[in-house]
Amino acid sequence: AYCVEFEKALKAQNKNIYLACLHPGIIASDFSRYYPKFIQNLSDFILKSSKSGAKTQIYLSFAPLEKIKGQFFSDCAPVPQP
C-alpha cells in the first residue's frame, strides 16, 4: 500500500517518477550457521537461495513500466493490495 500511496502523492505533485516495490522472500545466508543442525536442515526447504531471491529485482529492472508501476511484487508477480 505504501508504494501505491507514494506514487499517487508524486503524481499529485506532477512528478514524473514511478515506483514498484518488492519483497525478495526469505533468503538463505551464512547467518544460519549459528542455528542448530536440525534447523539448518529445515531451512534448506524453506529459504530461497540468493540467486532465486534476486529474480524479482531482475524482473522489475527489465519489465515494461506500464506493467509494474505502483505495484508490490513477490516472486516476479504483483501482489493484490487490499
Side-chain angles (χ1 to χ4, degrees):
Y2 174 76
C3 186
V4 174
E5 294 303 317
F6 191 42
E7 188 169 272
K8 285 180 187 176
L10 290 170
K11 190 173 186 179
Q13 296 176 13
N14 293 321
K15 304 285 184 183
N16 195 19
I17 299 171
Y18 299 98
L19 305 172
C21 300
L22 67 101
H23 188 288
I26 303 171
I27 308 301
S29 68
D30 207 24
F31 195 64
S32 65
R33 71 176 178 226
Y34 300 108
Y35 297 152
K37 190 67 174 168
F38 74 95
I39 293 178
Q40 289 178 19
N41 293 338
L42 282 176
S43 69
D44 291 341
F45 297 103
I46 299 170
L47 304 179
K48 291 181 177 183
S49 68
S50 56
K51 184 177 180 179
S52 177
K55 287 180 181 179
T56 302
Q57 288 94 319
I58 294 168
Y59 169 76
L60 292 176
S61 297
F62 292 97
L65 182 61
E66 296 77 31
K67 287 188 172 187
I68 65 169
K69 65 182 180 178
Q71 297 186 68
F72 179 79
F73 284 80
S74 182
D75 294 324
C76 298
V79 176
Q81 298 297 309

